[in-house]
Amino acid sequence: MRRKIALIGGGQIGGVLAQLIAAKELADVVMVDIVEGLPQGKMLDIAEAAHIGRYDSSVNGSNSYEALENSDICIVTAGVPRKPGMSRDDLLSINSKIISSVAENIKKYAPNSIVIVISNPLDAMVTLMQKVTQFPHNRVIGQAGVLDSSRFATFLAWELNVSAKDVHAMVLGGHGDTMVPIIRYANVNGVPAQELLERKHGEKAKDILDAIIKRTRDAGGEVVALLKTGSAFYSPAAAAVEMAEAILKNQRRVLAIAAFLNGEFGVSGYYMGVPAILGENGAESVLEFQLNEEEKQMFEVSLNSVKKNVEDMKRLGF
Ligand code: A3D
């Protein structure tokens, strides 16, 4: 049987998601959006490239949530993105309302699906999605760490003048300005990245590394400032497709995702960005490892900002 991915939200990220999934023939795709004609038009456009792209995935658009029926995975980008000067947290009230209604419909029409949330503020929205659907935590996860880690790896690759494919670097914590890039284990195919930077730059290595970490934390805002209308969409879509592929193919990939923590990394009852195994059941398990004192402190600061968003959301009645 062919697998099915539902995209809820057919805006910038939704469009790239549909195109990538079809091009990989990962699954059939249905896109649902509230704007009349938008999902139908985008999906027709992608369907008409099937001959050129040599793909057989069926792609359809709809304004009705019934189209979610029989979906294996729901990827949620419904909501509004940031404008220049806005933080992700500024989106809390408007996107909470949207995510609540999307979650009700996922629960109704795709009760067995695995949900990947992308809408911001990510950690709060994934929390709300799980709360409303009441799906087990392993079936409700968030995309942020795959993208943040890719940005970190890319900036390291540019600095070291090596292929980004060979850089392994992870960003943990919440998806906000307090995210936690783990430089200690960043490496170029096993060669420690920090040592390479020190050999290349000597005493200046620390400043260069700090600048890379700052750029990683601010990377979303850098794109927002350049685009002026909307936020990053190619890279978040690519990141969510990597997660969806790991799930549909039961690859047991180890990816940084927003997963629910039950005591791992000293956190209970919150979604945070951590390395987890992704397989046919969604987040199969969290891979815990020892953080050093500095990392622990950064993780704690990040946890507090996630907690603040979740509390603010509760105060708004969600
Ligand atoms: P955009 O192009 O505005 O698309 C959002 C779409 O959602 C629009 O087409 C809306 O019509 C649609 N929508 C609104 N309400 C509903 C609803 N109830 N049901 C179905 N569709 C609805 O935004 P985008 O695609 O650029 O970004 C989407 C979200 O992702 C935003 O919240 C961004 O902040 C967020 N985002 C997250 C990351 C992460 O890495 C976590 C990165 C970039 C953007």
Side-chain angles (χ1 to χ4, degrees), residues 222-242:
E222 186 179 355
V223 175
V224 171
L226 288 165
L227 290 179
K228 293 178 188 72
T229 53
S231 52
F233 54 104
Y234 293 109
S235 55
V241 169
E242 188 168 49

Side-chain angles (χ1 to χ4, degrees), residues 208-230:
I208 286 168
L209 191 52
D210 286 348
I212 289 174
I213 289 173
K214 183 172 182 331
R215 190 169 183 192
T216 301
R217 289 191 170 130
D218 298 344
E222 186 179 355
V223 175
V224 171
L226 288 165
L227 290 179
K228 293 178 188 72
T229 53

Side-chain angles (χ1 to χ4, degrees), residues 11-13 33 35 65 77-81 95 118 120 143 147 175 232 236:
Q12 297 279 65
I13 301 178
D33 198 290
V35 179
Y65 284 111
T77 59
V80 293
N95 282 355
I118 308 184
N120 271 321
Q143 185 301 114
L147 169 58
H175 182 58

